[in-house]
């Protein structure tokens, strides 16, 4: 089966009250860990690639690795550009075989974001590719872009309605209090998401798929392993899983996870190297790292996203 778009996945997820996991990938072990978990749980898969991941691993290598995951599992797999910052990178990914792209114009004023997103939609749709737009600003760090808590902005339901109507995007990422990275709330701060905004946006856009970025839970088990093995992330805090479950039951059809994968991988490597300080075979320390990715993703699929058995 060739790569699929997310259209069918989102239609089923919306109707079924669950979300599909969108996992960031940038090397073979991460892709294998995710693919093995999805195969065992029969979950549809969105594998997403950021500009930084594409620069690191290179487009051609990632395509072949993801093709291998698709062939090996037989699952419906969508390949998605995460946080495309301009028309050129979206076009390059569309021309290079991606089935879904995100145009992230969230840093621009509304009119400019609409113009840019509409241009991407026109090109993408002419090639059978779907587009995710973004409105509102998440706090946190992606690659070299850092948005402070003060500059973060919740999505306006009025603007969401106008944006979708004028751009023709197929899904929309919104800001309701999640943020990128492993430090989503300050120590002592009570995690809170604006479900009222999500509710209002879905009332204005019935049946329309919403995307949640910055949705890692920063699993304490992995943070503890990192800290117990020479790491220093005592204040890492993520989105509570019950909030993600609630979002998945509502209009959220795609939940983005990257930091949790990074933490699982780092925990596996650090733990192994502490126990085997003289070892220098990457296959040895990447095996537990890949195993942790697999167990993390299997748990997300079955206990948080609810997309097991939906492939
Ligand atoms: O939302 C951002 C993703 O976690 C990708 O991060 O740009 O550092 O690859 P990156
Ligand atoms: P996390 O940093 O919470 O994993 O978010 C990832 C993300 O939104 C990718 O686009
Ligand atoms: Zn993101």
């Amino acid at each position: 089966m060739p790569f699929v778009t997310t259209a069918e996945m989102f239609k089923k997820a919306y109707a079924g009250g669950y979300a599909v996991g969108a996992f960031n990938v940038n090397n073979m072990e991460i892709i294998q860990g995710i693919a093995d978990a999805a195969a065992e749980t029969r979950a549809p898969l969105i594998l997403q690639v950021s500009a930084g991941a594409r620069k690191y691993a290179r487009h051609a290598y990632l395509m072949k690795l993801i093709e291998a995951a698709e062939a090996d599992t037989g699952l419906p797999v969508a390949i998605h550009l995460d946080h495309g910052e301009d028309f050129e990178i979206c076009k390059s990914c569309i021309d290079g075989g991606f089935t879904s792209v995100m145009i992230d114009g969230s840093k621009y004023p509304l009119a400019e974001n609409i113009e840019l997103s509409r241009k991407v939609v026109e090109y993408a749709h002419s090639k059978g590719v779907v587009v995710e737009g973004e409105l509102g600003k998440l706090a946190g760090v992606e690659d070299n872009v850092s948005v402070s808590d003060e500059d973060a902005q919740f999505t306006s339901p009025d603007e969401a309605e106008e944006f979708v109507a004028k751009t023709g995007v197929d899904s929309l990422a919104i800001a309701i209090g999640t943020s990128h990275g492993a430090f989503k709330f300050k120590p002592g701060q009570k995690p809170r998401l604006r479900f009222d905004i999500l509710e209002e946006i879905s009332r204005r856009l019935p049946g329309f798929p919403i995307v949640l970025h910055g949705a890692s839970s920063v699993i304490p088990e992995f943070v503890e392993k990192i800290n117990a093995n020479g790491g220093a992330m005592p204040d890492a805090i993520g989105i509570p899983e019950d909030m993600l479950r609630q979002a998945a039951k509502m209009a959220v059809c795609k939940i983005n996870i990257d930091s949790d994968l990074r933490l699982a991988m780092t925990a596996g490597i650090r733990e192994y190297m502490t126990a085997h300080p003289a070892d220098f075979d990457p296959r040895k320390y990447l095996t537990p790292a890949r195993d942790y990715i697999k167990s993390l993703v299997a748990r997300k699929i079955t206990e948080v996203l609810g997309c097991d058995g939906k492939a």
Side-chain angles (χ1 to χ4, degrees):
M1 200 203 295
F3 295 133
V4 297
T5 73
T6 52
E8 191 63 24
M9 288 182 192
F10 289 168
K11 208 191 279 176
K12 287 198 205 158
Y14 201 102
Y18 63 88
V20 179
F23 300 99
N24 285 71
V25 298
N26 50 60
N27 68 23
M28 184 187 76
E29 287 75 14
I30 294 175
I31 292 172
Q32 287 179 333
I34 297 167
D36 288 352
E40 274 183 22
T41 54
R42 302 310 301 161
L45 257 190
I46 302 170
L47 295 179
Q48 58 187 13
V49 174
S50 69
R54 201 163 167 256
K55 190 167 163 210
Y56 169 76
R58 290 176 262 164
H59 187 97
Y61 284 79
L62 287 170
M63 286 304 290
K64 292 293 176 200
L65 286 169
I66 298 173
E67 272 169 32
E70 190 277 325
D72 194 33
T73 61
L75 295 170
V77 177
I79 173 164
H80 173 79
L81 168 66
D82 191 28
H83 293 285
E85 68 167 359
D86 52 32
F87 177 79
E88 286 66 36
I89 190 169
C90 292
K91 180 175 185 303
S92 169
C93 288
I94 293 165
D95 295 347
F98 282 32
T99 53
S100 174
V101 292
M102 173 186 193
I103 175 67
D104 181 357
S106 60
K107 62 177 183 241
Y108 298 117
L110 180 64
E112 268 174 70
N113 188 357
I114 289 175
E115 193 186 325
L116 174 62
S117 303
R118 190 171 49 201
K119 186 174 170 198
V120 172
V121 167
E122 269 167 24
Y123 187 73
H125 284 183
S126 76
K127 306 281 179 187
V129 169
V130 293
V131 179
E132 173 184 324
E134 177 164 351
L135 254 191
K137 285 199 186 97
L138 269 70
V141 181
E142 319 150 20
D143 248 354
N144 302 323
V145 185
S146 166
V147 179
S148 70
D149 288 355
E150 298 79 62
D151 290 335
Q153 242 167 50
F154 294 124
T155 307
S156 142
D158 282 344
E159 289 188 1
E161 205 176 348
E162 181 184 346
F163 183 87
V164 169
K166 289 189 174 165
T167 58
V169 290
D170 303 278
S171 61
L172 181 68
I174 62 169
I176 57 168
T178 59
S179 69
H180 290 110
F183 304 90
K184 300 187 191 296
F185 300 98
K186 295 190 176 61
Q189 187 187 359
K190 198 169 152 29
R192 184 171 172 238
L193 296 188
R194 291 290 304 271
F195 284 107
D196 56 324
I197 295 179
L198 172 59
E199 183 92 57
E200 180 57 19
I201 291 175
S202 49
R203 198 183 64 75
R204 309 271 191 106
L205 298 167
F208 188 81
I210 299 298
V211 178
L212 214 54
H213 282 246
S216 279
S217 291
V218 185
I219 311 287
E221 175 199 333
F222 294 126
V223 175
E224 279 156 25
K225 285 185 194 300
I226 289 171
N227 289 334
N229 291 285
M233 315 183 63
D235 295 336
I237 303 174
I239 309 295
E241 288 184 342
D242 58 337
M243 293 188 185
L244 298 173
R245 278 185 207 105
Q246 187 178 340
K249 287 197 184 102
M250 297 168 73
V252 170
C253 294
K254 171 174 179 271
I255 290 191
N256 284 12
I257 295 160
D258 187 0
S259 295
D260 276 336
L261 299 169
R262 297 180 186 196
L263 291 165
M265 183 149 213
T266 304
I269 294 170
R270 278 194 180 275
E271 203 175 38
Y272 184 87
M273 292 312 293
T274 301
H276 307 86
D279 211 332
F280 61 99
D281 182 344
R283 293 170 298 183
K284 295 274 176 57
Y285 55 80
L286 290 175
T287 296
R290 182 174 58 187
D291 289 347
Y292 279 165
I293 298 245
K294 182 181 171 189
S295 63
L296 164 81
V297 172
R299 219 182 68 78
K300 292 259 175 206
I301 287 171
T302 52
E303 292 179 30
V304 180
L305 303 161
C307 59
D308 48 311
K310 310 293 188 192

